[in-house]
Amino acid sequence: MVCAARIVESAPALDAKLYSAARTMDEARHADIYGRFLHEKIGMLYPIDDSLQSLLGDTLRDLPELGDSDLDLLISQDEEIAGKLDAERFAAQERERERVGEVRDAIEAGRGTDG
């Protein structure tokens, strides 16, 4: 999330800043939902190890040096990831609808034999 916010800072044009700001909001929502998922469903959080902490530090330190082509690459990667997440979410919703339909059909079939 901090990396996304730093991209907003370094974006050269207003359109790029607005686009990056929207991605930053998306990242904040993702971080919140993922944190709640880990806390409520998994029941544990793992601390950031030294290697990941070093990588994050390097990323944050190098972000102001990004050029326009780097921002374009990051934006296209972000769109690709968002598309995959949307596809996964849609597939999960479809599976849930199918399960609800199966349960409803089973309930209705049970009522038909009892009535």
Side-chain angles (χ1 to χ4, degrees):
M1 199 168 33
V2 172
C3 291
R6 295 285 297 273
I7 291 171
V8 174
E9 267 185 327
S10 63
L14 180 61
D15 287 347
K17 286 183 183 297
L18 293 174
Y19 180 84
S20 299
R23 300 292 66 80
T24 302
M25 285 184 55
D26 287 344
E27 291 306 316
R29 283 195 302 270
H30 297 158
D32 179 55
I33 290 169
Y34 188 65
R36 287 190 312 176
F37 169 77
L38 288 176
H39 178 70
E40 295 172 9
K41 301 292 183 185
I42 305 299
M44 67 177 81
L45 298 174
Y46 293 98
I48 296 176
D49 68 8
D50 293 339
S51 298
L52 181 56
Q53 185 65 44
S54 174
L55 177 63
L56 290 172
D58 292 345
T59 302
L60 290 173
R61 185 178 54 253
D62 294 342
L63 263 177
E65 300 169 13
L66 290 174
D68 288 343
S69 62
D70 295 321
L71 286 174
D72 290 340
L73 176 62
L74 287 172
I75 288 170
S76 69
Q77 289 173 342
D78 182 59
E79 289 171 340
E80 181 181 339
I81 291 168
K84 288 179 182 178
L85 291 174
D86 286 343
E88 289 174 9
R89 185 176 345 130
F90 178 77
Q93 289 171 343
E94 282 298 309
R95 286 191 300 274
E96 186 64 24
R97 281 189 207 104
E98 289 174 6
R99 281 189 228 124
V100 168
E102 291 170 0
V103 169
R104 184 181 52 237
D105 292 346
I107 291 171
E108 289 174 1
R111 287 185 188 154
T113 57
D114 291 338

